[in-house]
Amino acid sequence: MDAFAKPKLDDVAREAGVSTATVSRCLNEPGKVTAATRDRVMRAVEALGYTPNFGGKALASQKTSTVGAVLPTLDNAIFARGLQSFQETLSAAGVTLLVASSGYDADREDEQIRALIGRGADGILLIGTARRPAAYEFLKRARTPYVIAWSIGEAGETSVGFDNVGAAREMARRVIAEGHRRIAMISGITHMNDRAAGRVEGVCQALREAGIETADLVVDEVRYAFDEAGEALERLMSRNDPPTAIICGNDVLGVGAIARAKQLGLVVPSDLSITGFDDIDIASIVEPGLTTVHVPHRRMGTAAAETLLALIDGRPVSETVLLETTICDRGSLGPAPAGNRPRP
Amino acid sequence: MDAFAKPKLDDVAREAGVSTATVSRCLNEPGKVTAATRDRVMRAVEALGYTPNFGGKALASQKTSTVGAVLPTLDNAIFARGLQSFQETLSAAGVTLLVASSGYDADREDEQIRALIGRGADGILLIGTARRPAAYEFLKRARTPYVIAWSIGEAGETSVGFDNVGAAREMARRVIAEGHRRIAMISGITHMNDRAAGRVEGVCQALREAGIETADLVVDEVRYAFDEAGEALERLMSRNDPPTAIICGNDVLGVGAIARAKQLGLVVPSDLSITGFDDIDIASIVEPGLTTVHVPHRRMGTAAAETLLALIDGRPVSETVLLETTICDRGSLGPAPAGNRPRP
DNA sequence: ATCCAAAATGCAAGCGCTTACATTGCTACA
DNA sequence: TGTAGCAATGTAAGCGCTTGCATTTTGGAT
C-alpha cells in the first residue's frame, strides 16, 4: 500500500492475514468472528488507521445511516432546541444528521427534501403538515420514511406533535375568562403553515364558544421577528377599537409585542394583556413574564428521532405521538381593564 | 425495469436510447452534450423519476458534496444562528450539511469528528481551537480540510473568527473606566474551551494595565445556563468583598446574572454592573439591557462556509478571517457606586 | 482415532456511478 | 470527393464495500 493512499479494506485484510469478508464482519457483526481473529483485525485497523469508505459502504449496503431534517429555520430557539435533542438521540444510535432549512418557503422546502433524498437520507424529519403535494411525491417515490413534528399529520402519516388548535383554544379561553372581549392576534404567516393557521383557528373556536363574533377578531400576520411584532402591535393599538388582549402566535412575537407596548407607555397586563406560544427562554426573562403555552420541544425532538429510527428499521411505531402542552402563567395576562382605555 | 425498483442510470439510458456515460454527462456536465440528446435524456429522467444513487456517486467520484459541523450545542442562539447562515451558504453551493454536537465534551467531539469523516464529509467546521491532538490526527489522516470558527487558530490552520482576548480586554477596560475596582467574572468552563479561557485572559490583561491585582479577580466558572449564572452571582455577592461589577463570559450568563441580581433586590447598574458577550436577542430584551460584545455570528457562519468550500475545491484562501467585534452599550454597565454597598 | 454438525472464514459477484479511452459521425477544406 | 480534425457518444474498467454461498476449521460425541 502506497504510504499516501488511504488504506482500504483490502489493506487491512492483507495486514491481518484474513479475507476482506472477515474484516467487514469484524467491523459490522463482531459476534460472528472469533475473538482471536477479531483482535488481529482490530490491531490491523488501528495500525493502518483505517476508516471505511462511505461511498463503498453506502453502495454495497444500500443504506447511509443518515437522516435528514428540514426546518423552517435554526434561528429560532424552538427548532434549535428540538433539533439538539433530535440529534443527540440519533447520534446515540450511530446515525448522523443532515440539516437543511427552508426559510418558511415551500419551494425551498421542496428543494431541500429532494436534496436530502439525493444525499441518501434513510429517513427525514419534517415540520408541520402544510406543503405542496410534490414534496410528498418525492418522498413516496424514493420510499424514504418521514416523520412530521410540531403538528399531528393526517391518517397514514407518522407524526410526533401537539394539538396546536387545542392549545391555542385553551389559551384563548383563559383570555376570555379574564373578561377580555376585544381580542386581537399577532400571528405568523398562515399560508403554508398549519401550525400558525391552527393557532388562529383555535382562538376562533374559543371566541365562538363564548359567543364572540369571530369576524371581529383582527389577525395581524407577520414574519417571526421582534420588530415585526412591534409594528403589528402599533397597528393594532392605533385602531378605533384597540384590543385589550393580544394573543401572539409564538413567543418571539409575544416578547416583541411586550417590548413595544412598554415603549408606547402601555402597562402590561393592566392596560393590555399579551400571551405567547412555545415557552422559550426569553418568555421568562421579559417583564412581565410572558404567559404562554409550554411546548415540550426537547421531548418532541427525542420522540421524533426514536420514531424515525423505528420507521427506518421497519419496527412498529404508533402513528401519532401526541404531546401535552400546558399553559405557563407568568403575568402578562391579566383581567380586562374596567373602563375604556385611552388610545396611546 | 421492475415497476417497483428505483430507476438507475441504466434505465434512463435505455429509455433515452443512449449510453450510461451520456446520461451521466448530461447530469454533471451538460455542456458536453448536444442539446437534442440532453433533451431526450432529461425527458427520460423526468419520466422515470430518476434520482442518482448517492452511494454509487460517492464511490465513483470520491466526493460527497457534504460538509460536517461539530458544535458544542445547538441550544444556544449563537451557534444556531451561525449554523443557519453557514447552512444557507452551503446550500446555495449545492452542498449539504451534516451536524453533530459535542455538549462541550472533548471525547464526544473526537467521536463526532470521526463520525463525520466516516460519513465522507468533504470538509468540517470546528468551533474554537482547544481539543485533543487525536482529533487533529484523524483530520490529517483522512486529509479532510477543516475551518475553525469563533477563534483564531494557530499558524497553518484556517480560521474565521474574532479576537476573544481583545474583545474581553476592551470590555474590561470600559468597566474599569467606570471606576470599578472590585471586579469579578462569571465565566464558562475554561477547560478545553479557548474562547472562555481567552475572555478571562482578556479581562486579566485589562486589570494588569490598570494596575489592579489580578490575583484579586474572582472567576466563577459555570456551565452556560441561566440558573448556574444566578447561583454564581449569589456566591459572588455573598463574599466579604462583593464586586461592584461582574463581567460575564457570554450573554446567557449575563442575563441569568441580571435576573438573579434583581431577585436579590440589587439594582443594575447602580448597585452592580453586569456585562455580557455575544449579543443575542435576550440581551436587548432583559431590563436593563445587557451591555455586551457584539459578535457578527451570521457573517461568521457565511464566511466560514465560503472558506471551507474554497478549501475543498483547492482554491486559495486567506488563512485567517478576522471579524470585528463592537461593544453594545445597553445600560447594564454604569459607574461604580461611590461608597460601600451593603451586602444583600 | 474418527466422523459430523456447526461455526468460522474465504471467494467472488455485484451495488450504481464516473471517466479514460476508443469509436463514430460531422464539418470544412483541399 | 477525400480526408484531416474535432466534437459527440459509447465501451468498459474500476471505485471500496457487503454478503450469499462454498469451503475449511473446530470441537464434541462416538
Side-chain angles (χ1 to χ4, degrees), chain A residues 19 21-22 25 34 37 59-60 62:
Chain A
S19 73
T22 301
R25 278 188 285 257
T34 319
T37 326
L59 180 55
Q62 296 294 7

Side-chain angles (χ1 to χ4, degrees), chain A residues 31-287:
Chain A
K32 291 197 170 179
V33 167
T34 319
T37 326
R38 201 187 317 148
D39 230 57
R40 207 143 32 93
V41 171
M42 288 316 193
R43 215 187 316 284
V45 166
E46 199 59 41
L48 268 50
Y50 170 75
T51 326
N53 173 291
F54 181 67
K57 193 161 184 161
L59 180 55
S61 65
Q62 296 294 7
K63 50 184 183 167
T64 58
S65 293
T66 288
V67 313
V70 185
L71 307 180
T73 176
L74 295 167
D75 203 354
N76 178 329
I78 60 167
F79 295 122
R81 175 168 297 176
L83 192 64
Q84 171 67 29
S85 47
F86 185 72
Q87 192 271 329
E88 283 171 12
T89 309
L90 293 181
S91 172
V95 169
T96 1
L97 172 63
L98 285 163
V99 170
S101 66
S102 68
Y104 289 100
D105 178 279
D107 285 330
R108 282 266 293 286
E109 196 193 29
D110 283 7
E111 262 172 49
Q112 303 287 14
I113 291 176
R114 227 153 162 169
L116 294 183
I117 293 176
R119 282 298 172 275
D122 291 337
I124 292 188
L125 175 73
L126 260 21
I127 305 298
T129 59
R131 56 182 54 80
R132 52 175 60 102
Y136 291 111
E137 282 287 308
F138 305 144
L139 290 163
K140 189 166 302 171
R141 199 175 325 196
R143 282 187 282 294
T144 304
Y146 61 92
V147 166
I148 287 172
W150 260 260
S151 297
I152 296 306
E154 298 181 4
E157 285 182 331
T158 310
S159 56
V160 176
F162 54 94
D163 181 2
N164 282 281
V165 177
R169 190 197 313 129
E170 184 56 30
M171 179 59 93
R173 280 179 184 152
R174 295 253 191 140
V175 171
I176 294 167
E178 293 284 357
H180 295 278
R181 290 300 174 270
R182 292 206 311 279
I183 299 172
M185 278 194 80
I186 300 178
S187 165
I189 311 287
T190 55
H191 178 66
M192 290 299 262
N193 183 333
D194 57 292
R195 291 139 284 143
R199 293 171 196 183
V200 173
E201 169 58 21
V203 171
C204 287
Q205 289 182 4
L207 292 181
R208 269 185 239 115
E209 278 174 11
I212 302 174
E213 198 55 64
T214 58
D216 291 350
L217 176 72
V218 181
V219 179
D220 201 319
E221 294 196 4
V222 297
R223 284 181 301 115
Y224 289 129
F226 289 123
D227 293 347
E228 300 252 344
E231 281 154 35
L233 180 115
E234 286 201 36
R235 281 193 293 273
L236 291 172
M237 297 313 290
S238 58
R239 295 171 63 92
N240 288 327
D241 55 342
T244 62
I246 298 180
I247 297 176
C248 296
N250 74 13
D251 284 357
V252 172
L253 299 180
V255 169
I258 287 182
R260 187 66 63 97
K262 289 200 288 192
Q263 279 174 22
L264 297 178
L266 294 166
V267 178
V268 179
S270 56
D271 289 336
L272 175 66
S273 285
I274 294 179
T275 68
F277 201 115
D278 281 342
D279 193 17
I280 59 180
D281 288 341
I282 46 175
S284 49
I285 294 296
V286 71
E287 286 180 6

Side-chain angles (χ1 to χ4, degrees), chain B residues 263-324:
Chain B
Q263 279 173 23
L264 296 178
L266 294 167
V267 178
V268 179
S270 56
D271 289 336
L272 175 67
S273 284
I274 295 179
T275 68
F277 203 122
D278 281 345
D279 192 18
I280 59 180
D281 287 342
I282 47 175
S284 49
I285 294 296
V286 70
E287 284 178 9
L290 182 63
T291 291
T292 191
V293 176
H294 173 79
V295 177
H297 298 295
R298 288 207 179 81
R299 260 196 299 138
M300 189 156 51
T302 307
E306 286 164 354
T307 305
L308 190 50
L309 289 172
L311 222 48
I312 291 172
D313 291 354
R315 282 178 277 136
V317 300
S318 64
E319 187 168 292
T320 298
V321 177
L322 184 63
L323 301 171
E324 287 297 316

Side-chain angles (χ1 to χ4, degrees), chain B:
Chain B
M1 180 190 80
D2 172 347
F4 278 120
K6 270 177 122 181
K8 32 187 87 164
L9 249 204
D10 244 350
D11 300 311
V12 177
R14 199 166 324 117
E15 175 83 12
V18 297
S19 74
T20 62
T22 300
V23 177
S24 175
R25 277 188 286 256
C26 263
L27 265 25
N28 302 314
E29 309 162 290
K32 292 196 170 180
V33 166
T34 319
T37 328
R38 199 186 320 147
D39 229 58
R40 208 142 33 93
V41 170
M42 287 317 193
R43 217 189 312 287
V45 166
E46 198 58 41
L48 267 50
Y50 169 76
T51 326
N53 173 291
F54 181 65
K57 193 162 184 159
L59 180 54
S61 65
Q62 297 295 9
K63 51 184 182 168
T64 58
S65 293
T66 289
V67 314
V70 185
L71 308 179
T73 176
L74 295 167
D75 204 354
N76 179 331
I78 60 165
F79 296 122
R81 174 168 299 176
L83 192 64
Q84 171 68 28
S85 47
F86 185 73
Q87 192 270 329
E88 283 171 13
T89 308
L90 293 181
S91 172
V95 169
T96 12
L97 171 64
L98 285 163
V99 170
S101 66
S102 68
Y104 290 98
D105 178 279
D107 286 331
R108 281 267 294 286
E109 197 194 26
D110 283 6
E111 263 173 49
Q112 304 286 13
I113 291 175
R114 226 155 163 168
L116 293 184
I117 293 174
R119 284 295 176 278
D122 291 336
I124 293 189
L125 175 73
L126 259 22
I127 305 299
T129 59
R131 55 182 56 79
R132 52 176 59 103
Y136 291 111
E137 282 287 307
F138 305 145
L139 289 163
K140 189 167 303 170
R141 197 173 329 191
R143 281 189 282 294
T144 303
Y146 60 93
V147 166
I148 287 171
W150 259 262
S151 297
I152 297 305
E154 298 180 5
E157 283 182 333
T158 310
S159 55
V160 176
F162 54 94
D163 182 2
N164 284 280
V165 177
R169 188 197 316 127
E170 184 54 32
M171 178 61 94
R173 280 179 185 154
R174 295 253 189 140
V175 170
I176 294 166
E178 293 284 357
H180 295 278
R181 289 301 174 270
R182 294 206 310 280
I183 299 171
M185 277 195 80
I186 300 179
S187 165
I189 311 288
T190 54
H191 178 66
M192 292 297 265
N193 183 335
D194 57 292
R195 291 140 284 143
R199 294 172 195 181
V200 173
E201 169 59 19
V203 171
C204 286
Q205 289 183 3
L207 292 181
R208 268 184 241 118
E209 279 173 10
I212 303 174
E213 198 55 64
T214 60
D216 291 348
L217 176 72
V218 182
V219 179
D220 201 319
E221 293 196 5
V222 298
R223 284 180 302 117
Y224 288 130
F226 290 124
D227 293 348
E228 301 252 344
E231 281 155 35
L233 180 114
E234 285 199 37
R235 281 192 293 274
L236 291 172
M237 297 313 289
S238 58
R239 295 171 63 92
N240 288 326
D241 56 342
T244 62
I246 299 181
I247 296 176
C248 297
N250 75 13
D251 285 358
V252 171
L253 299 179
V255 169
I258 288 184
R260 187 65 64 96
K262 289 200 290 192
Q263 279 173 23
L264 296 178
L266 294 167
V267 178
V268 179
S270 56
D271 289 336
L272 175 67
S273 284
I274 295 179
T275 68
F277 203 122
D278 281 345
D279 192 18
I280 59 180
D281 287 342
I282 47 175
S284 49
I285 294 296
V286 70
E287 284 178 9
L290 182 63
T291 291
T292 191
V293 176
H294 173 79
V295 177
H297 298 295
R298 288 207 179 81
R299 260 196 299 138
M300 189 156 51
T302 307
E306 286 164 354
T307 305
L308 190 50
L309 289 172
L311 222 48
I312 291 172
D313 291 354
R315 282 178 277 136
V317 300
S318 64
E319 187 168 292
T320 298
V321 177
L322 184 63
L323 301 171
E324 287 297 316
T325 57
T326 53
I327 291 184
C328 282
D329 213 325
R330 294 224 179 76
S332 67
L333 167 61
N340 261 343
R341 223 169 3 71
R343 288 170 52 198

